Amino acid sequence: MKIKISKNFLDGYVKVLDLGGVGKTWPDLSGNKQKDYDALRSDWENVGNAIRKGTGSFKQARCLLPVS
């Protein structure tokens, strides 16, 4: 009886045996620090703008309420 092994199974088996990570190429995580900084700064600027807008809306709504 002949056993047939699929290519995908064989590829997965080889990856399991590669415990040292020899066949793995890791992405460069430290090369884009400026892009990460710019994106994070932009995110926080958007948060600050949303807080300012919400605070302004709250002040306007509060001024319209009748004082008892």
Side-chain angles (χ1 to χ4, degrees), residues 34-48:
Q34 186 63 41
K35 284 175 65 176
D36 289 342
Y37 169 80
D38 293 338
L40 189 59
R41 181 179 175 102
S42 173
D43 289 345
W44 277 109
E45 284 177 354
N46 289 336
V47 169

Side-chain angles (χ1 to χ4, degrees), residues 2 39-40 42 51 58-59 65:
K2 188 174 182 181
L40 189 59
S42 173
I51 291 172
F58 177 76
K59 286 179 183 177
L65 292 174

